[in-house]
């Protein structure tokens, strides 16, 4: 099928390449000329496992191309819109400038029967507002939220755990899964999306057809739930800290209850990235607008707990030196908001590093993927790509992104040959505390004795 993908960031670039890899003829469109130039050469503009391979393959096969020219969308059956919805500069709400610009830019190139499939994370109610503009061209608007995790984006796009398609009410009524048309012979857009995602549909991936509002809510509700789960265990870490309990054992014990589950009960310096923080804030803002602020008031606490954990990690380092890190060499292991990513948007890791620098520590940061991005944002810090070089001469280490390079592959004995001091703060509870202590280190975890 001919597809266009408007917006070639984390979501769009992966989506375009993934759709080409399952056999579609895809054009990716973005206003950023540099990004388009990079993608056109088959180069991934950011670190994402597996993306490079499917980009090269798509471009070599001729099924994938990139352009800044919106006219190239003309002739596609489905137009995916995957532009960013960042937090507004002066508030918590989502900034819909890019979504509106993408839809307006696309309108002249739509033909009757085309489908515009929104993928961006938007405040509930956005699709219903956009629909009349799209429908005036004879095209149909659906909402098809994206649940991809950075680091797993290619897998999550080609082989997702569920597919959700929000359609406007008259289609929603007619869709039972078997029906391909509405009563008047009109093709149901959900069935076209089934065709787009044919490999996942064929293997029985749950395919949920719903109304526009529900589809928008699925995405923000999922992220709100995940953020709440992380903050829940981090709140337990705060209690553990004043009672001598161990939050990692607590999480293990809780996780055996299938209704709870162990995943996303990783206590530490909390969540960051381009999605969870801004999505819970945008959700709160939208709920306020709808007069239901109190329904999600807990998300403010979720946010507050999350931010407090960064303070805690900084305090652990400061207290380890008796109250001041002034002129102490602190090596920060990690900069990305999570492993397998070079993304530093709202990265708790980088935030902790910047704060330690602000307190007068000599901060050295290392990270296998995110150093370039970090350096661009915070040029005042010292960046050392080589892990061992970064550790050499350190008075303290702090693990803030749980890359395997630090968590599994760095033995305390080896670290002892490089560092000067013997203080390690485990901001992700990823290290083997007993092993580090046995090697002579003073180990501090998050919510652990
Ligand atoms: C998230 C959602 O998981 C994904 O479904 C959605 O489409 C986009 O937002 P992502 O931002 O890639 O994906 O990261 P995720 O894996 O969810 O991690 C988010 C943050 O939470 C990271 O900073 C991570 O370190 C942190 N985290 C995660 C914890 O602190 N503890 C955990 O147990 C799990």
């Amino acid at each position: 099928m001919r597809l266009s993908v408007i917006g070639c960031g984390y979501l769009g670039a992966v989506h375009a390449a993934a759709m080409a890899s399952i056999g579609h003829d895809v054009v990716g469109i973005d206003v950023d000329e540099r990004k388009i130039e990079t993608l056109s050469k088959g180069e991934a503009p950011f670190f994402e496992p597996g993306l490079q391979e499917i980009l090269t393959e798509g471009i070599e096969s001729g099924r994938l191309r990139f352009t800044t020219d919106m006219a190239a969308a003309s002739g596609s059956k489905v137009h995916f819109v995957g532009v960013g919805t960042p937090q507004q500069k002066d508030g918590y709400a989502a900034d819909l400038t890019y979504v509106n610009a993408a839809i307006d830019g696309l309108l002249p190139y739509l033909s009757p029967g085309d489908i515009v499939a929104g993928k961006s994370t938007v405040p509930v109610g956005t699709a219903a507002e956009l629909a009349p503009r799209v429908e005036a061209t004879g095209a149909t608007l659906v909402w098809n939220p994206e649940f991809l995790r950075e680091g797993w984006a290619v897998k999550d796009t080609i082989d997702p755990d569920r597919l959700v398609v929000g359609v406007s009410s008259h289609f929603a009524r007619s869709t039972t899964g078997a029906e391909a048309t509405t009563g008047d012979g009109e093709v149901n857009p959900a069935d076209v999306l089934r065709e787009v995602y044919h490999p996942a549909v064929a293997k029985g991936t749950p395919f949920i057809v719903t109304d526009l509002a529900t589809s928008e809510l699925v995405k923000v509700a999922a992220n709100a739930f995940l953020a709440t789960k992380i903050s829940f265990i981090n709140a337990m870490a705060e209690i553990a800290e004043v009672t001598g309990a161990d939050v990692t054992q607590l999480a293990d014990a809780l996780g055996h209850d299938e209704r709870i589950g162990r995943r996303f009960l990783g206590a530490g310096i909390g969540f960051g990235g381009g999605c969870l923080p801004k999505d819970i804030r945008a959700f709160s803002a939208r709920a306020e607008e709808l007069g239901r602020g109190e329904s999600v008031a807990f998300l403010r606490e979720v946010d507050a707990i999350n931010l407090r954990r960064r303070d805690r990690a900084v305090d652990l380092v400061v207290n380890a030196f008796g109250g001041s890190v002034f002129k102490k060499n602190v090596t920060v292991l990690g900069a990305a908001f999570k492993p397998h990513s070079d993304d530093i948007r709202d990265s708790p890791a980088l935030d902790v590093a910047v704060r330690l620098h602000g307190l007068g520590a000599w901060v050295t940061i290392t990270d296998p993927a995110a150093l370039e991005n970090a350096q661009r944002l915070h040029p005042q810090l010292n960046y050392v790509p080589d892990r061992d070089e970064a550790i050499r001469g350190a008075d303290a280490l702090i693990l803030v992104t749980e890359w395997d390079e630090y968590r599994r592959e760095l033995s305390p004995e080896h670290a002892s040959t490089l560092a000067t001091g013997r203080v390690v703060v485990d901001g992700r509870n990823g290290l083997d505390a007993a092993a580090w202590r046995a090697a002579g280190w003073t180990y501090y975890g998050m919510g652990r004795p």
Side-chain angles (χ1 to χ4, degrees):
M1 199 182 294
R2 281 188 65 182
L3 310 174
S4 76
V5 179
I6 323 298
C8 295
Y10 278 97
L11 196 173
V14 174
H15 195 69
M19 292 301 104
S21 84
I22 59 170
H24 298 297
D25 190 357
V26 186
V27 59
I29 306 173
D30 198 290
V31 291
D32 183 337
E33 282 178 21
R34 263 190 46 203
K35 197 181 283 171
I36 290 300
E37 210 176 292
T38 309
L39 286 164
S40 298
K41 283 191 272 184
E43 290 168 19
F46 47 83
F47 177 88
E48 185 61 49
L51 176 59
Q52 187 60 62
E53 290 80 354
I54 57 169
L55 265 179
T56 313
E57 181 195 290
I59 288 186
E60 281 175 1
S61 71
R63 283 198 309 273
L64 177 63
R65 66 199 173 90
F66 293 94
T67 176
T68 53
D69 184 6
M70 192 66 102
S74 169
S76 289
K77 175 73 186 161
V78 181
H79 309 269
F80 289 100
V81 176
V83 293
T85 51
Q87 185 178 330
Q88 282 180 5
K89 289 197 174 56
D90 53 357
Y92 272 4
D95 178 354
L96 294 178
T97 311
Y98 306 111
V99 172
N100 282 308
I103 296 286
D104 287 339
L106 186 58
L107 291 178
Y109 305 105
L110 294 178
S111 303
D114 283 7
I115 293 167
V116 176
K119 292 199 81 65
S120 306
T121 303
V122 291
V124 55
T126 304
E129 254 173 55
L130 296 172
R133 272 142 78 187
V134 172
E135 280 161 13
T137 68
T140 307
L141 180 71
V142 302
W143 218 262
N144 172 218
E146 185 55 63
F147 304 102
L148 65 80
R149 298 158 297 171
E150 289 181 25
W152 302 94
V154 173
K155 187 257 158 208
D156 285 350
T157 305
I158 296 173
D159 184 19
D161 47 18
R162 80 291 214 188
L163 286 153
V164 176
V165 180
V167 294
S168 55
S169 47
H170 81 287
F171 289 118
R173 270 198 300 279
S174 73
T175 298
T176 57
E179 246 175 314
T181 58
T182 57
D184 55 11
E186 206 177 0
V187 174
N188 192 311
D191 292 308
V192 179
L193 273 271
R194 274 196 182 85
E195 240 177 284
V196 170
Y197 295 115
H198 61 99
V201 170
K203 72 174 265 206
T205 304
F207 191 99
I208 296 139
V209 181
T210 181
D211 55 88
L212 291 171
T214 305
S215 68
E216 294 166 315
L217 261 180
V218 174
K219 175 60 195 260
V220 284
N223 278 355
F225 190 89
L226 294 172
T228 304
K229 199 168 177 190
I230 298 169
S231 277
F232 175 83
I233 201 67
N234 279 329
M236 296 306 108
E238 292 185 334
I239 303 299
E241 275 153 14
V242 291
T243 53
D246 184 330
V247 76
T248 56
Q249 286 186 347
L250 174 69
D252 291 343
L254 290 174
H256 287 299
D257 183 331
E258 273 179 24
R259 295 167 303 173
I260 298 175
R262 179 64 174 83
R263 295 174 74 189
F264 274 66
L265 286 183
I269 56 169
F271 59 80
C275 292
L276 298 192
K278 71 135 173 113
D279 286 353
I280 59 168
R281 291 173 194 159
F283 196 9
S284 296
R286 183 65 182 139
E288 295 277 351
E289 282 169 16
L290 294 166
R292 285 287 179 273
E294 74 272 26
S295 303
V296 293
F298 67 93
L299 290 178
R300 273 183 251 143
E301 280 311 313
V302 166
D303 205 357
I305 293 164
N306 190 53
L307 295 174
R308 279 205 299 271
R309 300 314 285 163
R310 303 177 184 190
D311 302 338
R312 170 70 183 172
V314 171
D315 287 348
L316 283 174
V317 182
V318 172
N319 294 340
F321 291 110
S324 169
V325 282
F326 193 66
K327 291 189 178 174
K328 295 291 177 197
N329 283 302
V330 180
T331 295
V332 177
L333 300 171
F337 84 104
K338 68 171 193 181
H340 313 292
S341 170
D342 66 355
D343 197 345
I344 52 153
R345 285 177 293 172
D346 206 342
S347 168
L350 209 46
D351 194 16
V352 166
V354 169
R355 290 193 206 189
L356 288 167
H357 173 82
L359 293 172
W362 284 319
V363 172
T364 298
I365 307 182
T366 189
D367 188 287
L371 277 200
E372 249 177 67
N373 287 339
Q375 190 153 20
R376 218 172 296 130
L377 191 67
H378 296 292
Q380 76 277 24
L381 301 172
N382 184 32
Y383 296 94
V384 176
D386 184 78
R387 182 197 70 189
D388 287 2
E389 276 316 304
I391 295 175
R392 200 179 296 283
D395 296 313
L397 308 179
I398 176 165
L399 174 79
V400 281
T401 313
E402 67 277 36
W403 289 96
D404 278 346
E405 282 85 339
Y406 315 136
R407 204 166 65 103
R408 292 181 196 279
E409 293 158 19
L410 174 65
S411 74
E413 293 76 20
H414 181 62
S416 299
T417 66
L418 301 165
T420 312
R422 291 291 179 271
V423 169
V424 62
V425 175
D426 187 358
R428 293 292 185 180
N429 289 341
L431 302 175
D432 180 343
W436 282 78
R437 286 190 175 121
W441 289 73
T442 305
Y443 170 96
Y444 300 95
M446 303 285 292
R448 310 177 78 180

